[in-house]
Amino acid sequence: MLLGEQDQFLSYNGEVLVFQLSKSKHAEEAGDKTMNLCVRRMAFNRDTKVFVQKSSGSFSMGASHSKIEMICCSCTTDSRTGIILPCILMKKKKRNSIKYFLLLLHSSNQFEPSFYFKLDYELKEDIRLFAGPSLLWTHANKLFYISSNTCVVQSAPVHLSCVVWTGEIVGEGTVVLGIRTACLPETEDPDGFSVSDRAIWGSEFFGYAIQSQKILSGTCFMPHAYSRVVSSVYVCRSERLRKQLQISLVAITHKNQLVWFQNGAPKGVCELPYEKPCSVTPALTSSRDLLFAVSFASGNSCVVQRRDSLQVASKWQKVKCVLVDDFIGSGSEQLLLLFKDDSNTDVLSTFKITDLGEVNYASGINYKHDVPAAEGLQENGLLTVRALETRLQAGWTSVRELQQHLALQKRVILESCRALTDLVEERTHILPNSKEVKCRRCLVSLWDDVENPPDSLSKETSPAPEVPEHFTEELWQRVVGDSLVVGVKLTESFYLSLSDVSLSLVMDQDFSSISPIIKCQSKIIKLNKAFSALAVSPSQIEPPPKKLKLDLHSKNDLKKEFPKRSSRIQLDGAKTVTAVTSLSPLLAFHRVCCVVLLHARKQNHQNDGLQQSKKIAVLCGKILLSLEDISNGRYSIKMLRDNSYCTGSMEDILAVLAVSVRFSFQIVSCDCTLTPVSSWLLGEMECTPFKECQDNIFCHKAGDVHGTIFNWALKNPFEGVLTIFCRNLTVLFQCLHSLTRVLPPSCSVKLLRSGSKAVLTEQLSLALEKEMFTLKNSPFLKETKAGNSLTWGNESGKKINNAPLASLLDTEEGVQQFRKKLQKEREESVQSMNQTLNGALYQKTALKIAEAQLSSDMIVWRLA
């Protein structure tokens, strides 16, 4: 294809697109007036150092009694897909009618008409293509634009003399930067301005946001004094910092200068080597240098380099076009200069590719003579390549071994989950065939199997724990925000025989790409139904004669206790175990079925009065979760106000408590009663007690605090404990801020670490009980028998009956004395033993003892 006057060049994804209008030979012979818009995709070949054609395409247009021209071309974003595509603006002039239409070019070299419009005048000034695709131009000092979304020509409510830049600004969308006649301040007399003032204030910069139709101040781009000399602008960077627009740009002026502006102030200037600069284009090279390619009306070009200052780095003459892209595939940008050559009419015959650094390709150069011919250099290069190939092969081998190891781990976890599910559902598990277990001999168990001690150290084995037929009363699920809460209500008799209770969720479907185990957090909640003291008038408040327990704990937070306000108690008779997990990952499956497993230690009583526990895993049931049910609000919590009560069900209350964070505060007043706390809860916080559990009250106040649950327990009229169940710390701080405004100045508010001293004392007794039980069952210690005054066991909730010993444990000195006595007995038992132990068994037993001692030490530290 020969080069014509109608050729247009465009860089796109490292290629050069050459657009040309022509008539086919067949159309000329047949007398058909059809014009073809042809495109050729040219790519640079690094081996031959020339541009070669990769593909081509064409678009036919009827040209009967009309003239078709190409106006301009650019790369813009297609709003339908978000993909940047080449587009070209065409003009079809027929007598007095002028029709413009825009074409999009796809990767298949197919042209797609985007939109068209008709005008009674020709487009000549400030024609710009931008995202949409959209087109804008100026005519008679007015701004017009049209987009593919509306296909209607619209006029902007602004007057301007020219457009210097069009592009995207952060937070504003597409912005047009133009120059218009300045509006003098209304308070000043126009005749009072000097000639220099009139020269400065004669015009000004302004920005116009097309989407929002908002006028932006031009001072954030550059001072108004430059408005009379600037001809073109390129915005390099825009961002918002503290709601202020920060902009960096370069501008070329009629004074043959390139000026760098930052946040509206000039930061550098460079004198250009030629006159009448037209446009400026930036390029980021491999050396991270920022170059500005400037084109001139005379056909010359230069490159300005920005380092410590702006300076002209190179210049060329007789340049047809300057393009910026990654033409050699190096990952950085280069400049492509297409030169005018009258002796050669081939497309891209005379060119130069450079980044003013390592990259420098030019047409007409024999690169074979440029390569050093030293044999030593070639040999070193060959050895380097071989070494790199060896390292690459070794790295690939390591990656494959790691992939195989991960795949093996995944298969083992999946098979273990299937085996566990079959076990709890009392189904026969079918082992995989021999092909699937080639590596079985190198696998170890991933579950907490109990290691049986040697025969010489274990006198008898504990029988398998028995699970009652009906141990659960209810299985439910709720959705609270982005969390899924699953609850299992256990019978009181069954729960009292358990410890270390938790839930796990396992997906019932066979998803080969993910693990079926769902990460969740377990909590145990017990609520007692009682009447709230907030419903009683302040004059009826009396010191409570009894106590009411509300247990909300995980494995590291065992037992908490709250005082009650009324003796009319209706015990719930059951404890609920909850599991909280993230809901979003489960919604990706649209519909999922999960198996709910209960993990615990079942306690068996022995003849000597001691208790032995064994791990159990029992099936509680299945839950079905679907996106449709969640969208319909089937599992949503419903906390509505009914007169003076909140109508939330027990499951809704437990779900909110499960996802909330608990904080307890001790409030003490020296000179006045704490009546304002009750008034604050019922008044400002708009709280109402639950019908199902009136000790806890629900906050109906609008805002972030809505949904917070409070528990106010008065020890006496001057001291009480306020417990807050909130979503996060932000809500907690808002509640405390509101509370401190109603409390008397003499009140003190103290955060309680783990509840009251009585609760910590009970926890300490349980921890010491577990520690003694661990020491007693260790195979390398002599068995010691406790007195009849003690009941040995683990953390089952049994208390020490010996009154002197119990009082001894109330003080830190007593605990240390009791510890020394146990240490002395252990040393005596070790001296009396004459047995050998397996190293692994010894390590496991020592670890259990250390964990038990650490637990009791932590509680002593909290009591201190």
Side-chain angles (χ1 to χ4, degrees), residues 376-391:
L377 182 59
Q378 295 180 355
E379 183 179 359
N380 290 338
L382 180 61
L383 294 176
T384 302
V385 171
R386 289 178 179 175
L388 291 176
E389 289 179 348
T390 303
R391 292 180 59 186

Side-chain angles (χ1 to χ4, degrees), residues 338-357:
L338 302 179
F339 296 96
K340 299 177 181 178
D341 189 1
D342 299 334
S343 62
N344 196 336
T345 56
D346 291 338
V347 178
L348 301 178
S349 59
T350 307
F351 66 89
K352 183 182 182 66
I353 299 177
T354 182
D355 65 351
L356 302 186

Side-chain angles (χ1 to χ4, degrees), residues 575-831:
K575 282 201 175 183
T576 301
V577 186
T578 61
V580 182
T581 185
S582 179
L583 180 63
S584 302
L586 299 178
L587 296 182
F589 302 103
H590 186 73
R591 188 178 182 89
V592 63
C593 181
C594 297
V595 176
V596 183
L597 300 178
L598 175 70
H599 304 273
R601 285 186 176 273
K602 188 72 167 60
Q603 302 162 4
N604 296 325
H605 295 270
Q606 298 180 355
N607 297 330
D608 55 359
L610 299 176
Q611 296 180 356
Q612 180 68 36
S613 62
K614 187 174 183 180
K615 291 183 179 180
I616 61 171
V618 293
L619 175 65
C620 299
K622 295 182 180 181
I623 61 170
L624 183 63
L625 190 67
S626 66
L627 185 58
E628 181 179 359
D629 292 338
I630 295 177
S631 302
N632 295 333
R634 180 177 178 183
Y635 304 116
S636 301
I637 60 173
K638 298 177 179 60
M639 300 291 188
L640 302 178
R641 186 183 300 186
D642 183 12
N643 295 329
S644 59
Y645 291 98
C646 184
T647 60
S649 64
M650 185 63 68
E651 290 76 15
D652 294 340
I653 302 172
L654 295 175
V656 175
L657 292 178
V659 299
S660 300
V661 186
R662 172 181 177 170
F663 298 94
S664 296
F665 298 91
Q666 183 184 26
I667 303 177
V668 179
S669 177
C670 300
D671 52 2
C672 59
T673 62
L674 295 177
T675 304
V677 178
S678 301
S679 303
W680 171 74
L681 291 173
L682 296 177
E684 182 177 345
M685 302 306 291
E686 302 178 15
C687 295
T688 55
F690 293 104
K691 277 189 176 182
E692 298 292 334
C693 180
Q694 298 181 22
D695 268 3
N696 299 286
I697 57 177
F698 185 82
C699 178
H700 296 276
K701 184 179 180 180
D704 295 338
V705 297
H706 184 272
T708 306
I709 295 179
F710 297 91
N711 188 300
W712 173 232
L714 274 173
K715 288 187 176 180
N716 54 64
F718 302 95
E719 180 182 357
V721 175
L722 178 65
T723 303
I724 304 176
F725 300 89
C726 54
R727 296 191 305 272
N728 48 52
L729 289 176
T730 303
V731 176
L732 174 67
F733 293 148
Q734 293 181 21
C735 295
L736 293 179
H737 177 70
S738 176
L739 175 62
T740 53
R741 290 185 302 179
V742 301
L743 287 178
S746 60
C747 282
S748 65
V749 181
K750 177 183 178 183
L751 175 64
L752 300 180
R753 293 180 182 175
S754 301
S756 62
K757 183 177 180 181
V759 176
L760 290 175
T761 304
E762 183 179 353
Q763 292 182 14
L764 178 60
S765 64
L766 295 174
L768 291 175
E769 189 177 4
K770 179 179 179 180
E771 180 180 344
M772 291 184 290
F773 176 75
T774 305
L775 290 172
K776 188 260 179 187
N777 286 339
S778 58
F780 52 91
L781 294 179
K782 185 181 73 173
E783 295 185 357
T784 60
K785 294 185 178 180
N788 296 330
S789 60
L790 290 180
T791 301
W792 298 86
N794 56 9
E795 64 278 17
S796 60
K798 300 294 183 179
K799 299 182 180 179
I800 299 178
N801 300 324
N802 194 312
L805 182 58
S807 60
L808 183 65
L809 295 178
D810 285 340
T811 61
E812 184 177 357
E813 293 79 5
V815 172
Q816 295 297 334
Q817 182 181 356
F818 192 70
R819 179 74 60 78
K820 290 179 180 180
K821 182 178 180 181
L822 289 176
Q823 183 69 19
K824 183 178 180 180
E825 293 180 357
R826 186 176 67 177
E827 292 175 356
E828 294 176 355
S829 62
V830 170
Q831 294 176 359

Side-chain angles (χ1 to χ4, degrees), residues 24-25 61 129 147 170 183 197 200 231 288 296 378 382 384 448 505 587 691 748 750 759 761 782 789 792 856 858:
S24 62
K25 294 182 179 180
M61 297 167 287
L129 291 169
S147 68
V170 175
C183 300
D197 291 336
I200 293 177
S231 60
R288 311 305 297 175
F296 297 84
Q378 295 180 355
L382 180 61
T384 302
D448 295 331
L505 304 178
L587 296 182
K691 277 189 176 182
S748 65
K750 177 183 178 183
V759 176
T761 304
K782 185 181 73 173
S789 60
W792 298 86
S856 57
M858 287 295 295

